[in-house]
């Protein structure tokens, strides 16, 4: 059995790459998917497909169409969603993805540091598992295969 795991969260560092590497090292049969990790590609995709837009607002709107399409397709195929919240970046997309996962009945592993316990308390109560690090989330996935 292979699990499809959607990795929701910020794209400004390589936490997904590290998680993929550690899963491979452990021999875990997991296909990780998620948002476009190339920030420029994510921002440019709307204009690449639909052409130049008249202003930045429309540019963001058309990019969002394609980014939301990607997210919806992979989240619907996912067996599990990991939503990583960090302290450094605004986490609107992560919160939206976590809420969609819960609404869709997908098991949610919430990764949040101690400093975000209070602001994420309601979300944490609905998640399947709450951990503080991506390594702990990977341990939770590994436990499924035991």
């Amino acid at each position: 059995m292979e699990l499809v795991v959607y990795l929701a969260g910020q794209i400004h560092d390589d936490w997904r790459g590290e998680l993929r590497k550690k899963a491979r090292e452990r021999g875990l049969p997991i296909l990780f998917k998620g948002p476009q990790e190339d920030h420029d590609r994510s921002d440019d995709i709307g204009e690449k497909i639909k052409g130049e837009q008249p202003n930045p607002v429309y540019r963001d709107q058309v990019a969002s169409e394609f980014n939301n399409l990607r997210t919806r397709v992979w989240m619907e195929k996912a067996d599990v969603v990991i939503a990583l919240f960090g302290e450094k970046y605004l986490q609107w997309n992560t919160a939206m993805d976590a809420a969609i996962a819960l609404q869709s009945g997908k098991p949610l592993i919430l990764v949040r540091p101690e400093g975000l316990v209070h602001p994420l308390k309601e979300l944490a109560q609905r998640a399947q598992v709450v951990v503080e690090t991506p390594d702990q989330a990977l341990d939770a996935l590994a436990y499924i295969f035991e």
Side-chain angles (χ1 to χ4, degrees):
M1 175 179 83
E2 179 181 70
L3 284 180
V4 177
V5 178
Y6 188 86
L7 300 175
Q10 55 86 14
I11 63 171
H12 301 286
D13 64 30
D14 193 34
W15 71 273
R16 287 179 184 83
E18 289 295 316
L19 202 63
R20 286 185 197 103
K21 179 183 173 208
K22 290 175 181 179
R24 274 192 310 273
E25 289 170 354
R26 293 172 74 167
L28 297 174
I30 299 172
L31 174 62
F32 291 106
K33 299 309 283 184
Q36 175 57 254
E37 294 176 48
D38 179 330
H39 200 191
D40 290 337
R41 175 89 168 129
S42 174
D43 286 348
D44 295 342
I45 190 62
E47 289 188 323
K48 293 273 188 206
I49 294 173
K50 287 185 153 185
E52 188 175 343
Q53 298 300 302
N55 63 49
V57 171
Y58 286 104
R59 182 177 190 271
D60 282 348
Q61 285 179 344
V62 297
S64 293
E65 290 177 21
F66 297 101
N67 288 318
N68 283 331
L69 172 67
R70 178 190 174 104
T71 296
R72 183 171 181 179
V73 167
W74 284 117
M75 194 161 320
E76 285 182 7
K77 292 185 178 297
D79 298 302
V80 178
V81 174
I82 295 177
L84 180 135
F85 285 84
E87 306 246 15
K88 188 173 181 182
Y89 299 100
L90 299 174
Q91 305 290 312
W92 297 304
N93 287 348
T94 308
M96 181 179 66
D97 289 349
I100 290 169
L102 290 170
Q103 187 65 31
S104 301
K106 304 286 181 181
L108 175 67
I109 299 174
L110 176 65
V111 182
R112 54 102 183 99
E114 186 177 337
L116 294 179
V117 168
H118 180 73
L120 295 174
K121 64 185 179 294
E122 283 81 12
L123 185 58
Q125 288 300 311
R126 295 183 183 267
Q128 190 72 44
V129 172
V130 180
V131 295
E132 292 186 0
T133 68
D135 286 339
Q136 290 173 326
L138 189 59
D139 289 341
L141 294 175
Y143 183 68
I144 293 170
F145 295 103
E146 287 185 13

